[in-house]
Amino acid sequence: MYGKMIHILRQIIFLGIMLLSVFGYSQSKTKSYIIEGNEYYQKGKYDNAEFAYKKAAMEDPTSIKANYNLGNALFQQKRYKESITHYKKSAEISTTKNDKHLAYHNLGNAFMQEKDYQNAVDNYKEALKNNPTDDATRYNYALAKNMLKKEQEKQKDKNNKDNKNDQNKQNQDQKQNQQKQNQQNKEQQNNQNKSQDQKSDQQQQQNKGQNPKSGGENGNNKGQGNNSSPEIKQGNNGEGKDKDDAKNNMSDGLLKALQNQEAKTQRKIIQQKAEKQRTTTSKDW
Protein backbone atom coordinates (compact mmCIF):
# COMPACT_ATOMS: atom_id res chain seq x y z
CA MET A 1 0.00 0.00 0.00
CA TYR A 2 2.76 2.39 0.96
CA GLY A 3 4.68 1.47 -2.16
CA LYS A 4 1.64 2.21 -4.31
CA MET A 5 1.29 5.67 -2.81
CA ILE A 6 4.96 6.37 -3.49
CA HIS A 7 4.42 5.36 -7.11
CA ILE A 8 1.46 7.72 -7.50
CA LEU A 9 3.37 10.57 -5.92
CA ARG A 10 6.27 10.02 -8.31
CA GLN A 11 3.83 10.20 -11.27
CA ILE A 12 2.37 13.47 -10.02
CA ILE A 13 5.82 14.97 -9.60
CA PHE A 14 6.78 13.80 -13.07
CA LEU A 15 3.69 15.37 -14.60
CA GLY A 16 4.38 18.61 -12.74
CA ILE A 17 7.91 18.70 -14.05
CA MET A 18 6.65 18.03 -17.57
CA LEU A 19 4.10 20.81 -17.31
CA LEU A 20 6.71 23.22 -16.02
CA SER A 21 8.97 22.20 -18.83
CA VAL A 22 6.25 22.69 -21.41
CA PHE A 23 5.29 25.99 -19.86
CA GLY A 24 8.89 27.08 -19.76
CA TYR A 25 9.33 25.98 -23.36
CA SER A 26 6.18 27.83 -24.36
CA GLN A 27 7.32 30.91 -22.50
CA SER A 28 10.63 30.61 -24.19
CA LYS A 29 9.02 30.40 -27.62
CA THR A 30 6.70 33.33 -26.83
CA LYS A 31 9.65 35.41 -25.74
CA SER A 32 11.61 34.34 -28.80
CA TYR A 33 8.75 35.38 -31.13
CA ILE A 34 8.41 38.71 -29.32
CA ILE A 35 12.14 39.40 -29.72
CA GLU A 36 11.90 38.48 -33.39
CA GLY A 37 8.94 40.79 -33.81
CA ASN A 38 10.80 43.62 -32.08
CA GLU A 39 13.70 43.28 -34.49
CA TYR A 40 11.38 43.54 -37.49
CA TYR A 41 9.56 46.42 -35.86
CA GLN A 42 12.80 48.39 -35.36
CA LYS A 43 13.61 47.94 -39.03
CA GLY A 44 10.16 49.22 -40.06
CA LYS A 45 9.08 45.82 -41.35
CA TYR A 46 5.73 46.01 -39.62
CA ASP A 47 4.07 43.20 -41.55
CA ASN A 48 6.84 40.78 -40.52
CA ALA A 49 6.66 42.07 -36.97
CA GLU A 50 2.89 41.49 -37.01
CA PHE A 51 3.42 37.87 -38.07
CA ALA A 52 5.97 37.26 -35.27
CA TYR A 53 3.77 38.88 -32.60
CA LYS A 54 0.78 36.81 -33.72
CA LYS A 55 2.82 33.64 -33.26
CA ALA A 56 3.78 34.83 -29.79
CA ALA A 57 0.12 35.51 -28.93
CA MET A 58 -0.87 32.06 -30.15
CA GLU A 59 1.75 30.50 -27.90
CA ASP A 60 0.58 32.57 -24.94
CA PRO A 61 -2.76 34.37 -25.39
CA THR A 62 -2.27 35.99 -21.96
CA SER A 63 0.99 37.63 -22.96
CA ILE A 64 0.65 41.38 -22.36
CA LYS A 65 3.67 42.21 -24.53
CA ALA A 66 2.55 40.03 -27.42
CA ASN A 67 -0.88 41.70 -27.61
CA TYR A 68 0.42 45.22 -26.97
CA ASN A 69 3.22 44.94 -29.56
CA LEU A 70 0.82 43.35 -32.05
CA GLY A 71 -1.42 46.39 -31.61
CA ASN A 72 1.55 48.65 -32.33
CA ALA A 73 2.47 46.73 -35.52
CA LEU A 74 -1.12 47.02 -36.77
CA PHE A 75 -1.25 50.72 -35.83
CA GLN A 76 1.88 51.40 -37.89
CA GLN A 77 0.13 49.78 -40.87
CA LYS A 78 -2.84 52.14 -40.31
CA ARG A 79 -5.08 49.24 -39.46
CA TYR A 80 -6.48 51.12 -36.50
CA LYS A 81 -9.63 49.10 -35.88
CA GLU A 82 -7.61 45.88 -35.64
CA SER A 83 -5.10 47.53 -33.35
CA ILE A 84 -7.91 48.63 -31.02
CA THR A 85 -8.87 44.98 -30.45
CA HIS A 86 -5.36 44.03 -29.24
CA TYR A 87 -4.85 47.21 -27.19
CA LYS A 88 -8.13 46.47 -25.38
CA LYS A 89 -7.02 42.91 -24.64
CA SER A 90 -3.67 44.16 -23.40
CA ALA A 91 -5.42 46.66 -21.09
CA GLU A 92 -7.73 43.93 -19.74
CA ILE A 93 -4.98 41.43 -18.89
CA SER A 94 -2.46 43.98 -17.61
CA THR A 95 -1.74 43.76 -13.90
CA THR A 96 0.40 46.86 -13.42
CA LYS A 97 -0.58 50.51 -13.73
CA ASN A 98 2.23 51.17 -16.15
CA ASP A 99 1.06 48.45 -18.55
CA LYS A 100 -2.54 49.66 -18.27
CA HIS A 101 -1.43 53.25 -18.87
CA LEU A 102 0.41 52.30 -22.06
CA ALA A 103 -2.50 50.23 -23.38
CA TYR A 104 -5.12 52.95 -22.71
CA HIS A 105 -2.85 55.68 -24.09
CA ASN A 106 -2.45 53.82 -27.39
CA LEU A 107 -6.18 53.05 -27.43
CA GLY A 108 -6.75 56.82 -27.30
CA ASN A 109 -4.32 57.27 -30.19
CA ALA A 110 -6.11 54.67 -32.30
CA PHE A 111 -9.53 56.24 -31.64
CA MET A 112 -8.11 59.66 -32.54
CA GLN A 113 -7.02 58.27 -35.91
CA GLU A 114 -10.56 56.95 -36.40
CA LYS A 115 -11.90 60.43 -35.50
CA ASP A 116 -13.84 58.84 -32.67
CA TYR A 117 -13.08 61.68 -30.27
CA GLN A 118 -15.46 60.61 -27.52
CA ASN A 119 -13.76 57.20 -27.13
CA ALA A 120 -10.38 58.88 -27.44
CA VAL A 121 -11.21 61.19 -24.51
CA ASP A 122 -12.49 58.26 -22.43
CA ASN A 123 -9.35 56.15 -22.97
CA TYR A 124 -6.92 59.02 -22.38
CA LYS A 125 -8.77 59.64 -19.15
CA GLU A 126 -8.25 55.99 -18.13
CA ALA A 127 -4.59 56.30 -19.03
CA LEU A 128 -4.25 59.37 -16.79
CA LYS A 129 -5.88 57.49 -13.93
CA ASN A 130 -2.99 55.02 -14.09
CA ASN A 131 -0.29 57.63 -14.68
CA PRO A 132 -1.41 61.24 -14.01
CA THR A 133 2.07 62.63 -14.61
CA ASP A 134 2.47 61.59 -18.26
CA ASP A 135 2.73 64.82 -20.28
CA ALA A 136 2.02 63.14 -23.63
CA THR A 137 -1.20 61.65 -22.31
CA ARG A 138 -2.32 64.98 -20.80
CA TYR A 139 -1.60 66.77 -24.06
CA ASN A 140 -3.48 64.16 -26.13
CA TYR A 141 -6.35 64.24 -23.66
CA ALA A 142 -6.69 68.03 -24.00
CA LEU A 143 -6.44 67.77 -27.78
CA ALA A 144 -9.12 65.06 -27.89
CA LYS A 145 -11.46 67.16 -25.73
CA ASN A 146 -10.95 70.17 -28.00
CA MET A 147 -11.64 68.07 -31.12
CA LEU A 148 -14.73 66.59 -29.47
CA LYS A 149 -16.02 70.07 -28.62
CA LYS A 150 -15.53 71.26 -32.20
CA GLU A 151 -17.24 68.17 -33.52
CA GLN A 152 -20.19 68.73 -31.20
CA GLU A 153 -20.46 72.39 -32.23
CA LYS A 154 -20.23 71.41 -35.87
CA GLN A 155 -22.93 68.81 -35.37
CA LYS A 156 -25.06 71.36 -33.54
CA ASP A 157 -24.67 73.84 -36.40
CA LYS A 158 -25.52 71.11 -38.88
CA ASN A 159 -28.62 70.19 -36.89
CA ASN A 160 -29.67 73.84 -36.71
CA LYS A 161 -29.09 74.21 -40.43
CA ASP A 162 -31.02 71.04 -41.14
CA ASN A 163 -33.83 72.21 -38.88
CA LYS A 164 -33.84 75.60 -40.62
CA ASN A 165 -33.89 73.94 -44.02
CA ASP A 166 -36.68 71.66 -42.88
CA GLN A 167 -38.62 74.65 -41.57
CA ASN A 168 -38.04 76.58 -44.80
CA LYS A 169 -39.13 73.58 -46.81
CA GLN A 170 -42.19 73.19 -44.61
CA ASN A 171 -43.04 76.88 -45.02
CA GLN A 172 -42.52 76.62 -48.76
CA ASP A 173 -44.73 73.55 -48.91
CA GLN A 174 -47.39 75.34 -46.88
CA LYS A 175 -47.13 78.36 -49.18
CA GLN A 176 -47.46 76.17 -52.26
CA ASN A 177 -50.38 74.33 -50.71
CA GLN A 178 -52.03 77.66 -49.86
CA GLN A 179 -51.50 78.94 -53.38
CA LYS A 180 -52.89 75.71 -54.76
CA GLN A 181 -55.88 75.96 -52.44
CA ASN A 182 -56.44 79.59 -53.43
CA GLN A 183 -56.28 78.62 -57.09
CA GLN A 184 -58.77 75.83 -56.51
CA ASN A 185 -61.07 78.20 -54.61
CA LYS A 186 -60.76 80.74 -57.41
CA GLU A 187 -61.57 78.14 -60.04
CA GLN A 188 -64.47 76.90 -57.97
CA GLN A 189 -65.78 80.46 -57.57
CA ASN A 190 -65.40 81.08 -61.31
CA ASN A 191 -67.28 77.88 -62.04
CA GLN A 192 -70.03 78.91 -59.64
CA ASN A 193 -70.26 82.37 -61.20
CA LYS A 194 -70.32 80.83 -64.65
CA SER A 195 -73.06 78.45 -63.58
CA GLN A 196 -75.06 81.30 -62.09
CA ASP A 197 -74.63 83.34 -65.28
CA GLN A 198 -75.83 80.40 -67.35
CA LYS A 199 -78.84 79.97 -65.08
CA SER A 200 -79.55 83.70 -65.30
CA ASP A 201 -79.38 83.59 -69.12
CA GLN A 202 -81.66 80.56 -69.18
CA GLN A 203 -84.10 82.31 -66.84
CA GLN A 204 -84.12 85.40 -69.06
CA GLN A 205 -84.80 83.27 -72.12
CA GLN A 206 -87.64 81.52 -70.32
CA ASN A 207 -89.08 84.84 -69.12
CA LYS A 208 -89.12 86.15 -72.69
CA GLY A 209 -91.34 83.26 -73.83
CA GLN A 210 -93.49 83.01 -70.76
CA ASN A 211 -95.08 86.49 -70.51
CA PRO A 212 -98.86 85.72 -70.17
CA LYS A 213 -101.47 87.43 -72.35
CA SER A 214 -104.13 89.52 -70.62
CA GLY A 215 -107.14 87.64 -69.38
CA GLY A 216 -105.27 84.82 -67.62
CA GLU A 217 -103.87 86.54 -64.57
CA ASN A 218 -106.36 84.96 -62.14
CA GLY A 219 -105.93 81.34 -63.30
CA ASN A 220 -103.53 78.79 -61.93
CA ASN A 221 -102.26 77.95 -65.43
CA LYS A 222 -101.23 81.14 -67.23
CA GLY A 223 -101.57 81.38 -70.98
CA GLN A 224 -98.34 80.76 -72.95
CA GLY A 225 -97.24 83.61 -75.15
CA ASN A 226 -95.58 81.37 -77.72
CA ASN A 227 -98.80 79.56 -78.80
CA SER A 228 -99.49 79.94 -82.51
CA SER A 229 -103.20 80.36 -81.85
CA PRO A 230 -104.27 83.74 -80.45
CA GLU A 231 -106.89 81.97 -78.45
CA ILE A 232 -106.40 82.04 -74.64
CA LYS A 233 -106.78 78.76 -72.86
CA GLN A 234 -109.22 78.55 -70.01
CA GLY A 235 -107.58 78.23 -66.56
CA ASN A 236 -108.74 76.10 -63.69
CA ASN A 237 -110.21 79.15 -61.95
CA GLY A 238 -111.81 80.68 -65.07
CA GLU A 239 -108.70 81.98 -66.79
CA GLY A 240 -109.73 83.82 -70.01
CA LYS A 241 -113.49 83.54 -69.21
CA ASP A 242 -114.26 87.29 -69.39
CA LYS A 243 -112.69 87.60 -72.81
CA ASP A 244 -114.49 84.53 -74.12
CA ASP A 245 -117.83 86.02 -72.87
CA ALA A 246 -117.05 89.31 -74.55
CA LYS A 247 -116.28 87.50 -77.75
CA ASN A 248 -119.50 85.53 -77.59
CA ASN A 249 -121.49 88.72 -76.85
CA MET A 250 -119.88 90.42 -79.81
CA SER A 251 -120.76 87.50 -82.06
CA ASP A 252 -124.34 87.58 -80.84
CA GLY A 253 -124.54 91.33 -81.49
CA LEU A 254 -123.19 90.95 -85.00
CA LEU A 255 -125.64 88.16 -85.68
CA LYS A 256 -128.56 90.25 -84.41
CA ALA A 257 -127.39 93.22 -86.44
CA LEU A 258 -127.22 91.06 -89.55
CA GLN A 259 -130.63 89.68 -88.80
CA ASN A 260 -132.03 93.17 -88.30
CA GLN A 261 -130.38 94.38 -91.47
CA GLU A 262 -131.75 91.42 -93.36
CA ALA A 263 -135.23 92.07 -91.94
CA LYS A 264 -135.02 95.70 -92.99
CA THR A 265 -133.94 94.65 -96.43
CA GLN A 266 -136.83 92.17 -96.68
CA ARG A 267 -139.33 94.81 -95.55
CA LYS A 268 -137.94 97.23 -98.07
CA ILE A 269 -138.22 94.71 -100.89
CA ILE A 270 -141.78 93.84 -99.89
CA GLN A 271 -142.66 97.51 -99.72
CA GLN A 272 -141.18 98.14 -103.15
CA LYS A 273 -143.15 95.25 -104.59
CA ALA A 274 -146.30 96.55 -102.98
CA GLU A 275 -145.80 100.01 -104.39
CA LYS A 276 -145.14 98.54 -107.82
CA GLN A 277 -148.30 96.54 -107.69
CA ARG A 278 -150.22 99.58 -106.68
CA THR A 279 -148.82 101.57 -109.58
CA THR A 280 -149.63 98.96 -112.10
CA THR A 281 -153.11 98.66 -110.79
CA SER A 282 -153.67 102.34 -111.15
CA LYS A 283 -152.62 102.15 -114.75
CA ASP A 284 -155.04 99.35 -115.38
CA TRP A 285 -157.75 101.40 -114.03
Side-chain angles (χ1 to χ4, degrees), residues 136-147:
T137 303
R138 284 205 305 268
Y139 175 83
N140 288 1
Y141 175 62
L143 179 62
K145 285 204 303 182
N146 186 48
M147 296 299 292

Side-chain angles (χ1 to χ4, degrees), residues 26-285:
S26 177
Q27 288 292 97
S28 178
K29 287 188 68 174
T30 301
K31 186 176 181 181
S32 176
Y33 287 136
I34 291 174
I35 293 172
E36 180 184 353
N38 290 343
E39 291 175 356
Y40 284 124
Y41 190 91
Q42 293 297 327
K43 295 176 182 179
K45 297 181 178 181
Y46 302 117
D47 53 344
N48 291 332
E50 174 194 350
F51 183 68
Y53 292 140
K54 281 184 176 179
K55 289 191 293 184
M58 289 178 65
E59 287 293 331
D60 183 9
T62 62
S63 173
I64 300 170
K65 291 183 178 180
N67 283 282
Y68 178 80
N69 290 358
L70 177 56
N72 288 340
L74 293 167
F75 185 94
Q76 292 296 338
Q77 296 178 73
K78 299 182 179 180
R79 292 157 61 184
Y80 304 116
K81 289 182 178 179
E82 294 179 67
S83 72
I84 288 171
T85 300
H86 294 282
Y87 286 142
K88 281 184 177 181
K89 189 170 182 180
S90 177
E92 290 171 358
I93 62 180
S94 293
T95 56
T96 66
K97 286 193 172 187
N98 184 60
D99 288 340
K100 285 184 177 294
H101 165 257
L102 292 174
Y104 283 122
H105 178 92
N106 283 6
L107 267 171
N109 290 345
F111 280 118
M112 282 287 285
Q113 293 295 329
E114 286 291 303
K115 300 185 186 304
D116 187 348
Y117 302 119
Q118 183 61 64
N119 275 320
V121 168
D122 294 340
N123 281 279
Y124 286 136
K125 187 183 293 186
E126 289 296 322
L128 287 172
K129 287 180 181 179
N130 288 278
N131 185 3
T133 61
D134 188 279
D135 291 337
T137 303
R138 284 205 305 268
Y139 175 83
N140 288 1
Y141 175 62
L143 179 62
K145 285 204 303 182
N146 186 48
M147 296 299 292
L148 177 62
K149 184 179 179 180
K150 288 183 178 180
E151 182 184 56
Q152 290 172 340
E153 290 176 352
K154 184 178 179 180
Q155 185 64 38
K156 184 178 179 180
D157 292 340
K158 183 178 182 298
N159 291 339
N160 291 337
K161 185 177 180 180
D162 291 341
N163 291 335
K164 186 176 180 180
N165 290 336
D166 291 341
Q167 185 63 39
N168 291 337
K169 187 177 184 302
Q170 184 177 0
N171 293 338
Q172 185 177 2
D173 291 341
Q174 289 178 351
K175 185 177 180 180
Q176 290 177 351
N177 291 334
Q178 186 63 41
Q179 290 176 346
K180 185 177 180 180
Q181 184 64 39
N182 292 339
Q183 183 64 26
Q184 290 177 349
N185 292 338
K186 185 177 180 181
E187 292 177 356
Q188 185 177 3
Q189 185 63 38
N190 290 337
N191 292 333
Q192 289 178 353
N193 293 338
K194 185 176 180 180
S195 177
Q196 289 178 355
D197 292 342
Q198 290 177 349
K199 288 181 179 179
S200 179
D201 292 341
Q202 292 176 356
Q203 187 65 37
Q204 289 178 2
Q205 292 295 330
Q206 290 176 358
N207 291 338
K208 287 181 181 179
Q210 290 181 354
N211 292 329
K213 289 182 178 291
S214 60
E217 290 83 354
N218 296 327
N220 292 334
N221 296 324
K222 295 183 179 181
Q224 301 295 322
N226 56 359
N227 290 338
S228 59
S229 172
E231 190 177 298
I232 298 178
K233 294 182 180 180
Q234 182 176 352
N236 292 337
N237 292 332
E239 181 181 357
K241 182 177 179 181
D242 292 341
K243 191 163 185 179
D244 287 344
D245 290 343
K247 184 177 180 181
N248 291 334
N249 291 334
M250 184 180 294
S251 298
D252 292 343
L254 290 173
L255 181 59
K256 288 180 180 180
L258 290 173
Q259 289 176 349
N260 291 335
Q261 183 64 35
E262 186 178 359
K264 288 179 181 181
T265 302
Q266 289 293 334
R267 286 196 299 271
K268 186 176 181 180
I269 292 173
I270 291 172
Q271 185 178 2
Q272 288 176 355
K273 284 183 180 182
E275 289 176 357
K276 186 177 180 180
Q277 288 177 359
R278 285 195 299 271
T279 302
T280 301
T281 302
S282 67
K283 285 181 180 182
D284 290 341
W285 288 343

